[in-house]
Amino acid sequence: MNKKIKIALLGIGKIGERHLNLLNSKSLKNKFEIIAVCEKSKKKISIIKKKFNKVKIYSDFKEMLKKNPSIDIVSICSASGYHYEHAKISYNFKKNIIVEKPLALNFKEAVFLTKKFKKIQKKIFVVMQNRFNPPIVALKQFLKKNKLGKISSALVLVWWCRDQNYYKQNSWRGTWKLDGGVLSNQAIHHLDMLLYLLGDVKSVMGQIKRKFVKIESEDYGSALIQLKSGASAVIQASNATRPRNLEGSITIHGEKGSIKIGGTTMNKIEFWIDNKKGENNKKIIRKFNNQKKSINGHKKFYDHVYDAFYNNTKYIDGKEGIRSIELVNAIYYSALKGKKIFLPLKNSINKFDKKIENEIKS
């Protein structure tokens, strides 16, 4: 029988509930044991008690950690702006952590956390579940083998719909302090995919706008990117698409072909052209698009955590999590300054003041 990882969850919103249900499922029960849950909402606590009557429930995070020293990993599913604070508390209790995207809203805070956890030899696992999608796994291997040849360009598109009602659901949504905009919330997985597949960024020229909603942050962002490899990339991310979500994709063009992966979570091959005729590779498309059972990225992620925890395998760590945060901060900084920003980033966006208002107004 496998040795179980003792895990605690912080924050049971939509994403936290997904984690909780998954950890309690047959597929992961033999690997993880839920020790405790921390949630402040009385309504949610009531639901948790009915569903998981044996799990200890706390409304105070420090109290949970103090009273449960056997916890191996804390899974942080709180609002994005609290990740840094909750990670620091976990560090003080010398706990490994899982953090939903992003690791922090601020680049320098993310760097600070990574250094701190490394010092005490504790792990930071950053949830980037789309990396485990079979089409992405296949594309990563394809690029590793240089089967597309020299990469000329890439296009990242996030055309999603988030109306005013979405932002009204929680007061923290769309705020600079706790959420950020479409780039740091919805599109960060797509930005991570660009970096994961094609490597580091050399420079960024970005813009952010607020189109259709009354929030502090942006619901539209775009950027022209120069990668260190010499390839160019364009990012266009929008929550101002109406009346519904249309697309979330990454397209890569190389000297030997072009590949586009889209779908709801970058889990469907739109085209895979790797021949001189310019025809789709039907064999690959059939293999990945006709799978009877869809892959649960979060389940794959937790398997990945288990292997890294007990077998010391390579994992999506703090350094990997920093990369997409740095890129988002660089786009914001470029928009604020109105100029091209070169990476590695030297400055972080700590607080958006009135200077940014003119930039993001339509």
Side-chain angles (χ1 to χ4, degrees):
M1 186 178 176
N2 289 339
K3 190 177 177 183
K4 291 185 179 182
I5 292 174
K6 293 178 180 178
I7 193 164
L9 281 89
L10 169 63
I12 310 298
K14 285 186 178 180
I15 195 66
E17 192 174 349
R18 188 187 300 176
H19 282 248
L20 187 60
N21 289 329
L22 186 60
L23 288 164
N24 195 52
S25 67
K26 287 180 181 179
S27 60
L28 289 178
K29 262 188 172 182
N30 65 327
K31 293 183 176 181
F32 295 89
E33 180 185 353
I34 304 169
I35 296 294
V37 169
C38 182
E39 172 57 54
K40 288 186 176 181
S41 166
K42 289 180 180 179
K43 186 179 178 181
K44 288 174 185 174
I45 288 171
S46 178
I47 294 168
I48 298 163
K49 280 181 178 176
K50 287 177 185 176
K51 218 171 180 182
F52 307 95
N53 55 8
K54 291 182 181 178
V55 176
K56 297 173 187 174
I57 302 170
Y58 298 85
S59 58
D60 184 274
F61 185 37
K62 289 180 182 177
E63 183 188 4
M64 180 180 78
L65 295 177
K66 192 175 181 180
K67 289 189 175 179
N68 296 276
S70 65
I71 292 169
D72 295 312
I73 299 179
V74 178
S75 190
I76 298 173
C77 302
S78 50
S80 299
Y82 290 124
H83 289 180
Y84 175 65
E85 177 191 337
H86 291 151
K88 278 203 302 180
I89 292 170
S90 303
Y91 163 82
N92 290 335
F93 282 87
K94 294 182 170 55
K95 300 298 178 186
N96 301 286
I97 60 170
I98 290 168
V99 189
E100 263 293 346
K101 57 80 184 170
L103 174 56
L105 289 178
N106 179 279
F107 166 64
K108 286 189 176 179
E109 288 176 350
V111 172
F112 175 81
L113 287 175
T114 302
K115 288 179 179 177
K116 281 287 187 183
F117 275 79
K118 187 179 180 181
K119 259 186 181 179
I120 61 170
Q121 296 183 315
K122 293 296 177 183
K123 292 178 168 65
I124 296 175
F125 299 95
V126 182
V127 183
M128 293 296 183
Q129 75 276 7
N130 292 335
R131 290 191 184 191
F132 301 101
N133 294 344
I136 295 296
V137 174
L139 178 53
K140 178 71 173 176
Q141 291 303 313
F142 201 76
L143 293 170
K144 264 188 175 181
K145 292 174 183 176
N146 199 34
K147 289 191 175 182
L148 271 187
K150 186 177 180 181
I151 304 301
S152 63
S153 62
L155 174 64
V156 173
L157 293 176
V158 183
W159 290 344
W160 285 0
C161 176
R162 297 292 184 271
D163 60 15
Q164 198 67 49
N165 288 329
Y166 167 83
Y167 293 101
K168 282 180 180 178
Q169 287 174 26
N170 297 100
S171 59
W172 54 266
R173 287 183 175 176
T175 63
W176 288 124
K177 186 178 179 181
L178 297 178
D179 190 23
V182 61
L183 290 167
S184 57
N185 192 324
Q186 285 77 23
I188 197 161
H189 285 297
H190 302 78
L191 302 187
D192 171 68
M193 206 54 64
L194 175 70
L195 298 166
Y196 177 59
L197 294 171
L198 296 182
D200 293 331
V201 169
K202 181 182 178 182
S203 67
V204 172
M205 187 71 198
Q207 73 162 225
I208 56 175
K209 297 290 180 183
R210 189 168 52 236
K211 297 289 185 180
F212 296 148
V213 288
K214 293 178 181 179
I215 56 174
E216 288 180 2
S217 55
E218 87 285 356
D219 64 348
Y220 175 85
S222 62
L224 298 174
I225 289 175
Q226 189 70 31
L227 295 162
K228 285 186 178 178
S229 66
S232 302
V234 174
I235 293 167
Q236 188 181 55
S238 176
N239 277 343
T241 308
R242 298 293 185 267
R244 58 183 175 83
N245 293 349
L246 292 180
E247 183 170 355
S249 66
I250 182 164
T251 305
I252 298 174
H253 301 289
E255 60 184 336
K256 296 179 183 178
S258 297
I259 295 170
K260 178 179 180 179
I261 296 180
T264 52
T265 56
M266 290 178 287
N267 58 357
K268 181 185 176 184
I269 298 170
E270 301 289 347
F271 55 77
W272 189 297
I273 301 165
D274 59 358
N275 55 63
K276 290 180 180 178
K277 294 179 181 179
E279 296 172 349
N280 261 320
N281 189 324
K282 292 178 182 177
K283 186 179 177 181
I284 288 181
I285 291 175
R286 191 164 53 244
K287 179 181 177 181
F288 292 107
N289 286 4
N290 295 338
Q291 289 182 354
K292 290 180 181 178
K293 192 176 180 182
S294 62
I295 299 297
N296 186 317
H298 276 87
K299 194 270 176 186
K300 284 281 185 184
F301 171 78
Y302 270 106
D303 287 335
H304 163 84
V305 169
Y306 187 88
D307 287 342
F309 191 82
Y310 281 125
N311 303 322
N312 209 29
T313 53
K314 192 177 179 182
Y315 61 97
I316 306 170
D317 60 6
K319 283 186 178 179
E320 282 295 291
I322 284 168
R323 296 171 75 202
S324 53
I325 298 167
E326 182 181 28
L327 178 52
V328 171
N329 271 220
I331 296 170
Y332 285 161
Y333 204 72
S334 172
L336 181 62
K337 296 292 182 182
K339 65 179 183 179
K340 185 185 288 186
I341 300 298
F342 290 87
L343 278 67
L345 201 61
K346 293 179 182 178
N347 297 294
S348 276
I349 300 296
N350 286 303
K351 185 180 177 182
F352 281 78
D353 55 26
K354 289 181 181 178
K355 290 179 185 177
I356 203 82
E357 285 302 308
N358 292 329
E359 183 58 40
I360 65 174
K361 284 178 182 175
S362 298

